[in-house]
């Protein structure tokens, strides 16, 4: 059965008939899974990933690493699933590092982590590694990684585009050392160099020279995960030089890592509690995390809900009212579509700022949100670095997604409160949240 036959081009977004009351188990974090795959592949010994996310982005990462020689074995453990052990979802991946090699061809899809994290890895391969992807991937910035790798001694053919498609001519090693980059368009430029840095002969020193860095929690995630596998990292937040990260050359340890739930993917379900005045519990919400999605606790509380974090997980409860918000989302930009959807249903205006970089994501998210919410009767205006949202009564219509998973989930949130909303290509949610349509209808008891 084809994907389109399972979820037709226009999916009628379910309309909530009352307050939601559900427990929703969210799959593992894409950001953690893909970083863990890279680090485990560069380790000096085998490792395990438990509860990994299986989605388009993570499967593309695994496929790419396999193409360069890494062994990745997918295993199902029915006994641990019954017992509720560390891989209670019944799935674990065994990562077996090997000598990286080419020739290899890698499909990045439209995954920022794959297109940016793997060219540094490819410099360590013995032979050429060619990168290609979806048409939109050609438009996404990659120059920060390309220019940095060239400065560190890599040979890369990109036709002068500073973007995909490109070929990295791996020499089996890279000198590394100090490099300056402008990562203001994507924090992934920094993370990409840091993740492979321990395997460079001189390590790496990354100096950001541009304007404010977006999505700093993702860099903190990279640093924490590097330290967890034995790397030595000096960073600004632990007394280092501002905007400079240093990773020393070292062997990396193989670890047994359980992947946290993806807190950003929990957003539409928490939003459902807020929009319907209901209650949603997300099990296994971590007490401490570097995931940007953890900011939802504070943001959605300010918009009219309340939350409680217990050993069971996070329970979020809506009050029956939604308030507008004035918020700087520069560190948590990926949450913008879901917040904009809720703000369009609020009782007062909202201003979302600090997210100009979203124009370079899977689609131009600021333009897309403005167009789609306004076509449902909304009043959204783009600003230099965000959105201004004045709530108005909305009506049904087609909500286009532009092959962007977070647009699809944002439209679904609006559909809870607005009858007749149809989501174009809801299956694009498979990028990071497989089975979203079934999870969404299941939450509503359908």
């Amino acid at each position: 059965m084809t994907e389109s036959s399972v979820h037709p081009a226009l999916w009628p977004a379910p309309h909530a008939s009352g307050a939601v009351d559900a427990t929703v188990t969210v799959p593992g974090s894409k950001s953690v899974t893909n970083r863990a795959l890279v680090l485990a592949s560069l380790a000096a010994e085998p490792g395990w990933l438990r509860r990994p996310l299986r989605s388009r982005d993570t499967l593309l990462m695994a496929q790419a690493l396999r193409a360069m020689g890494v062994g990745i074995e997918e295993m199902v453990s029915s006994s641990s699933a019954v017992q509720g052990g560390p891989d209670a979802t019944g799935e674990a991946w065994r990562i077996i590092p090997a000598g990286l090699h080419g020739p290899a061809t890698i499909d990045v899809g439209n995954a920022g982590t794959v297109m940016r994290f793997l060219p540094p890895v490819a410099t360590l391969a013995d032979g050429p590694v060619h990168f290609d992807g979806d048409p939109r991937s050609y438009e996404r910035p990659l120059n920060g990684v390309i220019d940095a790798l060239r400065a560190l001694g890599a040979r890369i053919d990109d036709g002068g585009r500073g973007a995909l498609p490109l070929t990295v001519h791996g020499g089996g090693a890279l000198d590394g050392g100090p490099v300056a980059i402008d990562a203001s368009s994507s924090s992934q430029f920094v993370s990409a160099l840091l993740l492979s840095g321990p395997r460079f002969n001189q390590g790496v020193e990354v100096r950001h020279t541009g304007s404010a860095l977006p999505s700093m929690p993702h860099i903190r995630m990279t640093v924490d995960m590097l330290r967890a596998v034995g790397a030595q990292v000096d960073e600004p937040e632990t007394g280092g030089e501002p905007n400079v990260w240093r990773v020393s050359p070292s062997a990396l340890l193989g670890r047994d890592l359980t992947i946290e739930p993806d807190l950003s993917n929990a957003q539409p379900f928490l939003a459902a509690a807020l929009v319907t005045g209901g209650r949603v519990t997300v099990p296994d919400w971590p007490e401490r995390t570097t995931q940007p999605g953890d900011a939802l606790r504070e943001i959605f509380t300010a918009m009219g809900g309340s939350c409680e974090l217990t050993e069971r997980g996070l329970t979020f409860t809506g009050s029956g009212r939604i308030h507008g918000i004035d918020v700087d989302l520069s560190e948590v930009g990926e949450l913008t579509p879901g917040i904009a959807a809720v703000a369009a249903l609020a009782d007062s205006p909202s201003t979302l700022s600090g997210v100009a970089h979203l124009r370079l994501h899977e689609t131009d998210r600021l333009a897309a949100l403005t167009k789609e919410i306004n076509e449902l009767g909304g009043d959204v205006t783009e600003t230099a670095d965000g959105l201004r949202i004045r709530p108005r009564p909305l009506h049904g219509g087609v909500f286009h997604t532009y092959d962007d998973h977070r647009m699809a989930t944002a439209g679904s949130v609006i559909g809870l409160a607005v009858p007749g909303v149809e989501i174009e290509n809801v299956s694009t949610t498979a990028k990071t949240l497989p089975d979203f349509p079934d999870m969404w209808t299941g939450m509503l008891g359908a």
Side-chain angles (χ1 to χ4, degrees), residues 302-380:
M303 297 186 79
S306 62
C307 63
E308 181 183 17
L309 184 60
T310 66
E311 291 184 358
R312 184 180 174 215
L314 180 75
T315 297
F316 189 85
T317 305
S319 64
R321 296 189 62 186
I322 307 171
H323 308 308
I325 192 170
D326 188 342
V327 61
D328 181 346
L329 299 176
S330 56
E331 292 208 347
V332 294
E334 66 192 46
L335 304 180
T336 302
I339 294 170
V342 173
L345 303 169
D347 59 12
S348 58
S350 296
T351 300
L352 315 182
S353 61
V355 287
H357 60 287
L358 294 189
R359 295 186 170 101
L360 300 171
H361 275 222
E362 281 83 343
T363 187
D364 179 341
R365 285 179 171 166
L366 299 185
L369 286 164
T370 299
K371 179 178 182 294
E372 297 309 313
I373 295 175
N374 286 351
E375 289 194 353
L376 298 182
D379 184 0
V380 182

Side-chain angles (χ1 to χ4, degrees), residues 3 44 113 146 152 154 161 167 170 226 280 284 329 334 354 397 434 440:
E3 189 177 63
T113 51
I146 295 170
L152 295 173
R161 292 179 300 273
T167 299
L226 277 162
V280 168
D284 302 319
L329 299 176
E334 66 192 46
W440 196 245

Side-chain angles (χ1 to χ4, degrees), residues 2-278:
T2 65
E3 189 177 63
S4 60
S5 65
V6 175
H7 302 303
L10 292 181
W11 181 65
H15 180 62
S17 58
V20 169
D21 188 355
T23 296
V24 180
T25 300
V26 177
S29 164
K30 177 205 74 173
S31 297
V32 175
T33 298
N34 273 358
R35 283 166 172 79
L37 279 169
V38 171
L39 291 173
S41 298
L42 296 176
E45 57 193 350
W48 287 92
L49 301 188
R50 308 199 185 262
R51 298 183 183 174
L53 173 67
R54 283 184 59 88
S55 72
R56 187 184 187 217
D57 279 17
T58 60
L59 293 176
L60 284 169
M61 179 69 83
Q63 180 181 344
L65 291 165
R66 287 188 182 109
M68 288 189 283
V70 178
I72 302 177
E73 301 174 355
E74 301 182 33
M75 301 182 181
V76 175
S77 173
S78 58
S79 61
S80 64
V82 171
Q83 297 168 7
D87 54 339
T89 59
E91 183 156 11
W93 292 354
R94 176 76 161 165
I95 315 299
I96 305 169
L100 300 172
H101 62 75
T105 297
I106 288 174
D107 175 12
V108 310
N110 191 18
T113 51
V114 182
M115 72 178 71
R116 290 163 182 152
F117 291 178
L118 289 190
V121 175
T123 67
L124 304 172
D126 186 8
V129 180
H130 183 68
F131 292 82
D132 208 335
D134 296 353
R136 172 63 179 173
S137 71
Y138 294 7
E139 302 172 22
R140 300 185 68 182
L142 197 55
N143 56 300
V145 174
I146 295 170
D147 293 346
L149 290 176
R150 283 183 175 139
L152 295 173
R155 179 184 159 207
I156 300 175
D157 292 336
D158 67 337
R161 292 179 300 273
L164 292 171
L166 60 85
T167 299
V168 176
H169 295 274
L174 192 70
D175 286 342
V179 66
I181 62 171
D182 180 354
S184 56
S185 61
S186 176
S187 68
Q188 290 176 350
F189 294 169
V190 174
S191 288
L193 298 168
L194 298 183
L195 287 168
S196 293
R199 289 286 306 273
F200 298 163
N201 294 338
Q202 302 175 41
V204 72
E205 176 187 287
V206 181
R207 182 180 301 271
H208 167 60
T209 59
S211 55
L213 267 171
S215 305
M216 279 298 297
H218 280 125
I219 296 180
R220 289 193 283 270
M221 177 186 293
T222 298
V223 170
D224 281 2
M225 293 184 68
L226 277 162
R227 287 173 174 160
V229 296
Q232 179 181 334
V233 186
D234 296 324
E235 58 162 337
E237 295 193 5
T238 54
E241 188 177 349
N243 289 326
V244 177
W245 292 262
R246 297 182 180 88
V247 179
S248 301
S250 68
L252 299 179
L253 304 173
R255 292 295 196 194
D256 191 325
L257 176 66
T258 299
I259 306 296
E260 297 175 354
D262 194 312
L263 306 188
S264 294
N265 277 341
Q267 182 183 36
F269 304 100
L270 301 185
L274 186 56
V275 168
T276 68

